């Protein structure tokens, strides 16, 4: 029976095919790194302007890059983790201090320095081999650079998304404080004078795509936004315009079908909770006004909000409609009440009041001047009627 043949163990210490070139490359690594830094100082103004600490980190990256190339040349058949070897020497904060363009310039400069020294470093006859190895390494280091910055951008994006969600949730829940303002500032919010909150239903699908669509619409409308999807709601805090309806129309595209409500304009992020509460109450009450426009202002839904139990809406109707009419004189309240009871008939109201129809017409114009709501408009008449009811109830209970 023949004896089994034994496979010889692989030679783990195989000699390098170009030992002299490898030796020269190892001896020249420090010199090449110094030459690369010197050329950066000559050719890259941003490098000269950097603080010494950052320049020292760049120096370490350049040295690590040349050392990694040496290892690459030593073991060309073994995959190398270049991004770890090269960029792992620098702190994570360096990707914030140095842009991707600057990093590309730094890598290009280092590669050019090594390439210019090939004739000196390579052993006779190995110039082509070393140049080809450098070409492959340059490709790999380019991919590694892109990966490092992509990972940094992804990490920043995920962190920013969480930070933005915290700010939006704080505003909607009524917990906005100076901490929320500080977090918003970190996201680029520069405290615009006019802020409005817009609420609606979030579309199905990836919420990140919805948020990005809101941002694109905001850039087009020259608005600042903080936005997020909270449950089924899409929340947008917009700054830069004192016209809430204009803001809502500019941003309405990414919202799902259904009502979209814009809260009142407020002065800053700290008071945006008031706008958010009004918008949320309006969104809840929209079912009572099927023909409401889209988008609609929360203040246009005051009667529905009041009947749905919103105390703010009730207070506004009493304070902004009933009380001014009461202070303007009993005649206005009486005329408005009779006019509304008489199905908005000037003649019928005049007969009930024993006055000329022109007197009724004049008093109704005064009602419009005092309250901003016109009794001759069907929607405004409904709002005025609810305000009268709430005002009488408040008066009876002694709150007025």
């Amino acid at each position: 029976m023949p004896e089994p043949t034994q496979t010889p163990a692989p030679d783990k210490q195989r000699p390098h095919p170009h030992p002299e070139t490898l030796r020269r490359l190892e001896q020249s690594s420090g010199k090449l790194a110094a030459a690369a830094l010197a050329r950066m100082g000559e050719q890259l103004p941003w490098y000269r302007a950097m603080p010494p600490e950052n320049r020292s980190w760049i120096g370490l990256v350049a040295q690590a890059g040349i050392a990694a190339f040496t290892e690459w040349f030593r073991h060309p058949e073994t995959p190398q983790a270049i991004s770890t070897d090269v960029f792992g020497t620098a702190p994570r904060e360096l990707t914030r201090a140095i842009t991707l363009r600057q990093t590309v310039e730094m890598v290009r400069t280092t590669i050019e320095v090594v390439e210019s020294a090939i004739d000196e470093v390579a052993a006779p006859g190995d110039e082509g081999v070393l140049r080809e190895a450098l070409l492959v390494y340059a490709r790999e280091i380019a991919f590694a650079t892109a990966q490092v910055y992509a990972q940094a951008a992804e990490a920043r994006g995920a962190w920013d998304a969480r930070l933005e969600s915290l700010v939006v949730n704080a505003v909607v829940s009524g917990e906005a404080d100076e901490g929320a303002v500080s977090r918003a500032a970190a996201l680029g919010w520069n405290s615009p004078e006019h802020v409005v909150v817009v609420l609606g239903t979030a579309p199905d699908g990836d919420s990140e795509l919805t948020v990005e669509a809101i941002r694109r619409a905001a850039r087009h409308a020259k608005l600042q936004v903080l936005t997020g999807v909270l449950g089924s709601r899409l929340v947008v805090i917009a700054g830069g315009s004192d016209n809430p309806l204009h803001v809502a129309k500019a941003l309405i595209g990414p919202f799902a079908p259904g009502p979209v409500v814009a809260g009142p304009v407020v002065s800053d992020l700290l008071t945006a909770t008031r706008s958010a509460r009004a918008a949320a109450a309006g969104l809840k009450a929209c079912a009572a006004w099927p023909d409401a426009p889209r988008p609609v202002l929360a203040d246009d839904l005051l009667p529905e909000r009041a009947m749905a139990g919103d105390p703010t809406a009730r207070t506004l109707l009493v304070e902004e409609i009933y009380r001014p009419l009461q202070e303007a004189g009993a005649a206005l309240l009486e005329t408005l009440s009779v006019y509304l009871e008489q199905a908005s008939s000037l003649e019928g109201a005049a007969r009930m009041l024993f006055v000329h129809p022109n007197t009724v017409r004049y008093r109704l114009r005064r009602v419009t001047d005092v309250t901003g709501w016109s009794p001759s408009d069907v929607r405004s008449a409904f709002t005025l009627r609810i305000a009268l009811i709430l005002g009488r109830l408040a008066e009876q209970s002694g709150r007025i």
Side-chain angles (χ1 to χ4, degrees), residues 239-321:
S241 173
D242 60 355
N243 186 333
L245 198 58
H246 165 75
V247 171
K249 287 180 178 179
L251 304 177
I252 199 171
F255 284 87
V260 175
V261 182
V265 174
V266 293
S267 59
D268 53 36
L269 194 63
L270 286 176
T271 54
T273 291
R274 181 163 59 87
S275 183
R277 285 176 176 169
L283 195 63
K284 176 183 177 182
C286 262
W289 187 13
D291 296 328
R294 185 178 187 269
V296 63
L297 297 177
D299 286 350
D300 288 343
L301 287 158
L302 283 176
E304 286 81 8
R305 288 167 52 190
M307 287 188 286
D310 180 11
T312 301
R314 293 183 176 185
T315 300
L316 287 173
L317 288 170
V318 173
E319 294 295 330
E320 296 184 1
I321 295 179

Side-chain angles (χ1 to χ4, degrees), residues 161 164 203 206-217 219 225-229 234-235 254:
E164 188 169 14
D206 192 343
S207 60
E208 291 184 6
L209 296 179
T210 301
V211 167
E212 184 55 36
I214 289 289
R215 291 199 180 103
R216 285 197 301 270
R219 286 194 295 268
V225 292
L226 296 168
T227 184
V229 176
L234 175 56
V235 183

Side-chain angles (χ1 to χ4, degrees), residues 38-346:
R39 184 171 297 187
M40 288 182 206
E42 295 172 359
Q43 298 181 353
L44 305 178
W46 58 264
Y47 174 77
R48 296 193 298 269
M50 297 193 82
E53 181 182 6
N54 287 343
R55 288 203 303 272
S56 67
W57 283 120
I58 290 177
L60 289 178
V61 170
Q63 292 175 15
I66 295 174
F69 173 59
T70 302
E71 287 302 309
W72 177 276
F73 188 72
R74 184 194 307 276
H75 304 290
E77 74 288 347
T78 304
Q80 308 276 332
I82 291 182
S83 61
T84 302
D85 291 344
V86 178
F87 297 102
T89 61
R92 186 182 301 272
E93 291 76 10
L94 195 63
T95 57
R96 294 181 179 270
I98 304 176
T99 65
L100 176 58
R101 179 186 61 81
Q102 292 171 340
T103 303
V104 169
E105 291 178 351
M106 176 187 71
V107 172
R108 179 187 293 120
T109 302
T110 304
I111 295 296
E112 287 175 351
V113 167
V114 177
E115 186 178 19
S116 65
I118 284 180
D119 292 337
E120 177 183 347
V121 173
D126 284 352
E127 293 85 357
V129 173
L130 189 59
R131 186 171 284 107
E132 182 179 353
L134 182 62
L135 179 64
V136 175
Y137 178 78
R139 181 193 66 186
E140 296 300 322
I141 199 71
F143 289 148
T145 302
Q147 182 181 15
V148 167
Y149 275 83
Q151 290 174 344
E154 185 177 354
R156 286 198 298 270
W159 172 253
D160 288 350
R162 289 193 293 270
L163 205 61
E164 188 169 14
S165 179
L166 287 173
V167 175
V168 171
N169 186 67
V171 170
V172 172
S173 63
E175 299 175 355
D177 54 14
E178 291 297 337
V181 174
S182 177
R183 287 189 285 271
L187 294 168
W189 181 268
N190 63 5
S191 301
E193 294 181 359
H194 307 290
V195 179
V196 61
V197 177
V198 182
L199 292 183
T201 303
D204 296 331
D206 192 343
S207 60
E208 291 184 6
L209 296 179
T210 301
V211 167
E212 184 55 36
I214 289 289
R215 291 199 180 103
R216 285 197 301 270
R219 286 194 295 268
H220 181 74
K222 294 180 172 54
L223 297 170
Q224 294 185 59
V225 292
L226 296 168
T227 184
V229 176
L230 303 181
S232 62
R233 286 183 178 179
L234 175 56
V235 183
V236 182
I237 305 169
S241 173
D242 60 355
N243 186 333
L245 198 58
H246 165 75
V247 171
K249 287 180 178 179
L251 304 177
I252 199 171
F255 284 87
V260 175
V261 182
V265 174
V266 293
S267 59
D268 53 36
L269 194 63
L270 286 176
T271 54
T273 291
R274 181 163 59 87
S275 183
R277 285 176 176 169
L283 195 63
K284 176 183 177 182
C286 262
W289 187 13
D291 296 328
R294 185 178 187 269
V296 63
L297 297 177
D299 286 350
D300 288 343
L301 287 158
L302 283 176
E304 286 81 8
R305 288 167 52 190
M307 287 188 286
D310 180 11
T312 301
R314 293 183 176 185
T315 300
L316 287 173
L317 288 170
V318 173
E319 294 295 330
E320 296 184 1
I321 295 179
Y322 187 83
R323 185 187 292 274
L325 288 175
Q326 187 183 50
E327 294 174 351
L332 291 188
L333 270 177
E334 182 185 19
T335 301
L336 175 61
S337 177
V338 171
Y339 175 76
L340 295 176
E341 294 296 334
Q342 294 299 313
S344 301
S345 169
L346 286 172

